[in-house]
Amino acid sequence: MIEYADFECPYCARAHELMSGVAVRRLFRHFPVVSKHPRARVLAQAVEAAALQGAFWEMHDSLFEDQGRLDPPHLWERAERLGLDLDRFEEDRRSEAVAERVERDFRSGIRAGVTTTPTLFVQGDAHPGVPTTELIDRLATARNGTL
């Protein structure tokens, strides 16, 4: 499953909550909708900076699980809690390479036809919006990667 999401999007946070118990291989792609969520790109870059220290999913989960605390001081608190090197985190978060990584995901979403977050792609089919119970059940009961 390929998931396009925005860390400031409440619907993405809801999708994260619903998908947390589903054992399916998830490929996450950044789709910051800055017109609605002005911190979305900064948050995506923070996750990528954490990824460079091996903590992508931990930072990913922490942002979706506490959307009320997304400002920079809270990012540093999260990074510190995750045991990241804070100087490196801050340098990476602001780097051109990390910004390009986020932009590359965004452009791939545009090419794939993403118009809203979240959008999940399962076997090539787009499922925009919060995943339905039917889709979650389908993913949860998949055997050996067969949907």
Side-chain angles (χ1 to χ4, degrees), residues 2 9 19 22 26 47 56 84 109 125 141:
I2 300 172
C9 169
M19 296 296 297
V22 178
R26 293 167 68 181
V47 172
F56 176 91
L84 304 182
D125 294 327
T141 59

Side-chain angles (χ1 to χ4, degrees), residues 62-116:
S62 75
L63 291 174
F64 278 137
E65 291 165 5
D66 185 6
Q67 285 198 312
R69 297 168 32 112
L70 298 176
D71 293 323
H74 302 295
L75 292 178
W76 300 320
E77 287 174 17
R78 284 180 165 89
E80 188 171 41
R81 248 193 335 266
L82 294 173
L84 304 182
D85 175 323
L86 297 181
D87 291 333
R88 180 177 168 203
F89 172 76
E90 189 59 21
E91 182 178 326
D92 289 340
R93 185 174 77 89
R94 296 177 181 275
S95 74
E96 190 171 317
V98 163
E100 176 53 33
R101 170 74 175 94
V102 171
E103 183 62 24
R104 194 169 48 246
D105 278 2
F106 183 79
R107 286 192 310 261
S108 78
I110 295 292
R111 286 191 303 275
V114 174
T115 59
T116 190

Side-chain angles (χ1 to χ4, degrees), residues 2-3 6 11 16-18 22 39 42 48 72-73 82 94 98 100-101 113 124 126 129 132 139:
I2 300 172
E3 172 185 4
D6 171 331
Y11 301 108
H16 169 75
E17 180 184 344
L18 292 170
V22 178
R39 294 178 293 214
V42 168
E48 286 303 318
L82 294 173
R94 296 177 181 275
V98 163
E100 176 53 33
R101 170 74 175 94
T132 63
L139 292 169

